Amino acid sequence: MIDEQFSYLICLDLEYTCWENSMRNNWPDPQFPAEVIQVGMASFDMTKNQCLAKFSSYVRPVLNPRLSDYCINLLQIPQSTIDNSPALPEVIDQISSFVNGYSKDSTIVCAYGPDSKRFADDAARHYRDSPLDSFTYLNLQQEAGKVLGRTDKLPGRDYIKEHFQLPPSENRHDALDDALDVKLLLDTLVEYEK
């Protein structure tokens, strides 16, 4: 699943602005895109299986700065937290610092779903490049679909947890906790493939 050339892993998770139909229909309204409202990342030394560093930041969206009631209830992020958070360009600078020192040849970024692309899309709205674009990206949801033979309808994170009898996430929809959870899911799928 992960080539041996990669000594380092960066697990990524994002939370986005959302409405009741957003995830089901993949954010169909261009007036209401998936804007990043929280970023969580954890880097790991793959040879030592050790967490090296963690990063988490809330983000103030620009197009839809007021979170929907659905979003607040789902993510449990208060509007006041978002109101007092930095805009994405500042967070991009922080992420650039976080990934500085990781070589694109020896580091892979992994998330459960298309988070890297969604981050790049949101960065582009701010006329910025994503600092993650130079790294190889592993969409763990697609890999899980291949491993479990479910490529027509990709398995959700909760399905994987239930299928492998993994404990539920304590803080589901907290980007940092979900990024750490990506490592657990990856390890489980790699072990299953052996």
Side-chain angles (χ1 to χ4, degrees):
M1 193 170 301
I2 292 184
D3 195 305
E4 289 180 11
Q5 82 181 57
F6 298 112
S7 304
Y8 300 99
L9 168 72
I10 297 174
C11 293
L12 168 71
D13 189 79
L14 304 175
E15 301 301 334
Y16 316 99
T17 53
C18 55
W19 297 263
E20 204 150 339
N21 69 335
S22 299
M23 290 179 54
R24 185 173 53 248
N25 298 327
N26 201 21
W27 285 264
D29 188 339
Q31 301 278 334
F32 297 93
E35 288 182 273
V36 176
I37 56 175
Q38 189 185 21
V39 179
M41 297 187 331
S43 62
F44 294 87
D45 181 324
M46 296 293 283
T47 56
K48 297 177 183 172
N49 198 26
Q50 176 182 6
C51 184
L52 300 173
K54 298 174 187 174
F55 172 86
S56 180
S57 179
Y58 290 103
V59 183
R60 187 178 66 251
V62 175
L63 297 176
N64 293 286
R66 276 253 20 102
L67 300 183
S68 69
D69 289 342
Y70 173 82
C71 191
I72 290 170
N73 290 331
L74 176 68
L75 304 179
Q76 297 297 304
I77 300 173
Q79 181 65 49
S80 58
T81 298
I82 296 304
D83 291 342
N84 295 306
S85 296
L88 190 61
E90 185 179 333
V91 176
I92 288 172
D93 293 341
Q94 294 170 3
I95 291 172
S96 294
S97 295
F98 182 82
V99 301
N100 188 29
Y102 290 98
S103 159
K104 66 178 180 141
D105 297 326
S106 63
T107 306
I108 187 167
V109 173
C110 178
Y112 202 86
D115 286 20
S116 186
K117 181 183 180 335
R118 287 217 174 102
F119 189 82
D121 290 347
D122 206 8
R125 279 191 280 275
H126 294 268
Y127 306 100
R128 297 286 302 270
D129 293 326
S130 167
L132 304 173
D133 280 352
S134 63
F135 297 103
T136 299
Y137 180 68
L138 178 69
N139 181 332
L140 194 55
Q141 186 177 32
Q142 289 177 336
E143 292 301 312
K146 290 177 197 171
V147 168
L148 299 176
R150 292 189 48 163
T151 52
D152 55 330
K153 185 174 186 228
L154 295 177
R157 190 188 285 247
D158 294 336
Y159 174 86
I160 298 297
K161 292 275 206 142
E162 191 175 302
H163 182 82
F164 290 105
Q165 299 176 346
L166 299 171
S169 302
E170 288 185 33
N171 294 308
R172 182 74 171 98
H173 296 300
D174 174 82
L176 180 56
D177 283 357
D178 284 352
L180 292 166
D181 200 47
V182 166
K183 178 70 164 72
L184 171 66
L185 296 174
L186 174 65
D187 290 346
T188 301
L189 289 167
V190 166
E191 190 61 34
Y192 179 76
E193 271 196 319
K194 288 182 179 176

